[in-house]
Amino acid sequence: MGHSIRGFVARPETLAAVRARFPVAKQVALDAGFAWVPATDALMAAIDAADPAGEQTGRTIDFVFDHPVMLRLLADLSRAGPIALVETDYVDGRGAQAATACVDGQVVSSEEGDGRPINRALRAIGVVRPSDEDEFDTVCLGKFRSMDAFE
């Protein structure tokens, strides 16, 4: 079974800035007081169209957590509150994940790999986990396996 998602995680009030700027954004409640805006194809196209430098992330299966378009957007959005972009791409237990977290206009965590970069990014934006769970499970991101339900 696979797991392939991409989206923004933050407090609901922070994600209001995403929805205000990009009306195609859909917000989904997570646990622990956080929410998720799935980075659908429509949202990614709107982000590309709005980039002040005119760059585009393009249609790719590659991670965009460190793409200049995404870094500019995250830094700007983080002025409304801490925010993270999280991405997974796993098939049959193999793959990787990536995440970038921004706070007050600054990148505070950005990495790709199998060493749980999503947990570090979620921790950086304020997710506090109980001792028997990691940050990913604390907000219940695992209930979303793919982007299909949001496209």
Side-chain angles (χ1 to χ4, degrees):
M1 178 170 277
H3 194 278
S4 183
I5 62 169
R6 173 183 291 152
F8 300 92
V9 177
R11 298 275 182 198
E13 58 273 14
T14 301
L15 292 177
V18 177
R19 292 187 347 269
R21 187 180 294 181
F22 305 106
V24 298
K26 304 167 187 172
Q27 185 169 311
V28 179
L30 295 175
D31 287 358
F34 286 82
W36 183 50
V37 169
T40 61
D41 288 344
L43 178 56
M44 292 300 291
I47 289 168
D48 281 348
D51 183 63
E55 292 187 61
Q56 296 195 350
T57 58
R59 293 208 176 269
T60 177
I61 60 169
D62 294 335
F63 292 141
V64 297
F65 76 103
D66 61 351
H67 192 283
V69 170
M70 199 55 65
L71 293 174
R72 281 189 290 274
L73 176 64
L74 285 166
D76 189 42
L77 293 171
S78 73
R79 295 181 201 301
I83 188 168
L85 174 73
V86 300
E87 301 177 277
T88 65
D89 189 18
Y90 289 99
V91 177
D92 295 328
R94 282 189 252 158
Q97 57 180 259
T100 294
C102 284
V103 177
D104 295 326
Q106 300 295 314
V107 172
V108 295
S109 175
S110 186
E111 60 184 299
E112 173 184 0
D114 56 6
R116 301 187 184 261
I118 292 176
N119 285 334
R120 281 187 280 287
L122 293 175
R123 195 174 317 120
I125 66 166
V127 174
V128 178
R129 68 177 182 86
S131 61
D132 61 339
E133 289 183 337
D134 65 11
E135 291 80 3
F136 189 90
D137 291 331
T138 297
V139 298
C140 290
L141 273 170
K143 66 184 171 185
F144 306 108
R145 307 295 303 177
S146 76
M147 299 298 292
D148 293 343
F150 305 105
E151 296 294 347

